[in-house]
Amino acid sequence: MNPSVVGAALAVLFTGMIAAADGITKLVSGSYDAPQLYALAAALVALMSLGAARVSKGESLRIRSVKPMIVRTILTVVAAVAFFQAFRLLPFADVFLFIGLIPLIAASLSGPLLGETPRPVAWFALSIGAGGVIFLMPGGVSGAQAGHLWALIAALSGAVSMLLARVIAKVERAPLAQVFWPNLGLAVAMALALPFVWKPMGLMDGVWILAYAVFLFGARYVSAEAMRFLPAYVAMPVMNVQFVWMVAIGIYAFGEVPSFGTIMGVMLVIASGLYLVAEESMTKAQSQEV
């Protein structure tokens, strides 16, 4: 199969998994502090990674790209806490505004970090996506709140973290290691604060934490593989399909109906992502013919 199509399919699968995890984050964010959610869930994800590595027998958790992994782990912690606060303070769909900014941030940094400077036509598609993002904030920049600041921090740290996943993937294929080490770091960092914020948990809340860990493990593994098949500036706009899942979860779980401007904006954002995949696929096909 065409690598671009495989990468796009993996990116779309990632969106469903991560949107489900985000929905659980918003669900529990009103009852528990971030360290309690992430200490438990990240530890579970790290254990899942360890178990998967033992079962597969062909994949090790050892990694040669130590420095990029350390930075990626630190940024994973920052992004997790920032997104938690954003989901706690903002409507579910509003957070997507900043998730939609991640491809633009990645595009601006992919040149110096990855040597994958987008072609002019790709910048055009990214500009369409940026126009879509504008629709997602009907109140304008003047309506910014603390939740928006947290979401911006999350977008910046999340974009660089995913770029580092591409940096590592270009050197070695280690998707399980890319899941294991950031989550181990997140679990350790959150465990330090856990004694100060711990609240007793009911059985159902424990089930939600387990479900969150399962979705997060799947999403992190799939995203690491998607970054192996697609340049970062292509993969990330495709991941904006996540908004469709976020709207559905927002409606059915939280009763948050998106506005017309939000729907128009997301259509532009998703269209830009699909265009980038098509353009990348055609470029690769032409290069192979030559």
Side-chain angles (χ1 to χ4, degrees):
M1 293 183 65
N2 188 305
S4 296
V5 175
V6 174
L10 290 172
V12 172
L13 178 60
F14 161 82
T15 65
M17 293 178 174
I18 201 66
D22 288 342
I24 295 173
T25 299
K26 184 170 179 62
L27 181 67
V28 303
S29 64
S31 303
Y32 303 99
D33 289 318
Q36 186 157 347
L37 169 65
Y38 291 129
L40 297 175
L44 286 171
V45 173
L47 287 174
M48 290 177 193
S49 303
L50 186 61
R54 290 189 175 183
V55 170
S56 66
K57 296 182 180 180
E59 189 170 346
S60 172
L61 295 180
R62 294 180 180 178
I63 194 161
R64 299 191 303 272
S65 307
V66 176
K67 290 182 179 179
M69 182 59 76
I70 291 174
V71 178
R72 175 167 154 74
T73 299
I74 294 171
L75 290 174
T76 297
V77 175
V78 174
V81 174
F83 268 125
F84 183 93
Q85 296 295 338
F87 281 121
R88 186 171 63 87
L89 296 171
L90 295 175
F92 195 54
D94 283 12
V95 181
F96 182 80
L97 163 67
F98 298 91
I99 295 175
L101 288 175
I102 290 178
L104 306 178
I105 298 169
S108 65
L109 297 176
S110 61
L113 285 180
L114 303 175
E116 295 177 348
T117 304
R119 294 177 293 278
V121 68
W123 278 114
F124 175 71
L126 289 168
S127 298
I128 294 176
V133 168
I134 293 174
F135 278 97
L136 300 177
M137 186 179 276
V141 178
S142 60
Q145 304 168 7
H148 297 110
L149 177 59
W150 280 113
L152 179 59
I153 293 172
L156 289 168
S157 53
V160 179
S161 176
M162 295 193 76
L163 283 174
L164 289 171
R166 174 73 171 169
V167 169
I168 296 169
K170 291 179 70 175
V171 175
E172 54 186 317
R173 184 179 182 272
L176 278 178
Q178 293 229 49
V179 177
F180 175 74
W181 293 110
N183 279 282
L184 180 62
L186 180 60
V188 171
M190 294 297 101
L192 296 175
L194 190 57
F196 303 100
V197 299
W198 175 264
K199 293 180 182 178
M201 300 184 68
L203 177 61
M204 197 61 219
D205 287 337
V207 171
W208 282 121
I209 296 288
L210 177 60
Y212 173 84
V214 171
F215 282 123
L216 190 63
F217 171 77
R220 293 268 168 85
Y221 184 90
V222 168
S223 68
E225 285 289 86
M227 287 296 184
R228 190 164 62 91
F229 287 100
L230 289 176
Y233 66 87
V234 177
M236 289 186 179
V238 177
M239 291 176 182
N240 283 339
V241 176
Q242 178 181 346
F243 183 78
V244 176
W245 305 111
M246 293 179 75
V247 167
I249 293 172
I251 291 173
Y252 290 106
F254 305 109
E256 299 172 354
V257 180
S259 65
F260 175 76
T262 298
I263 298 299
M264 290 298 296
V266 76
M267 288 176 65
L268 289 174
V269 169
I270 292 175
S272 70
L274 294 175
Y275 179 78
L276 280 173
V277 172
E279 195 267 341
E280 176 70 12
S281 180
M282 288 187 293
T283 301
K284 285 187 175 180
Q286 291 172 356
S287 64
Q288 289 175 355
E289 291 177 359
V290 175

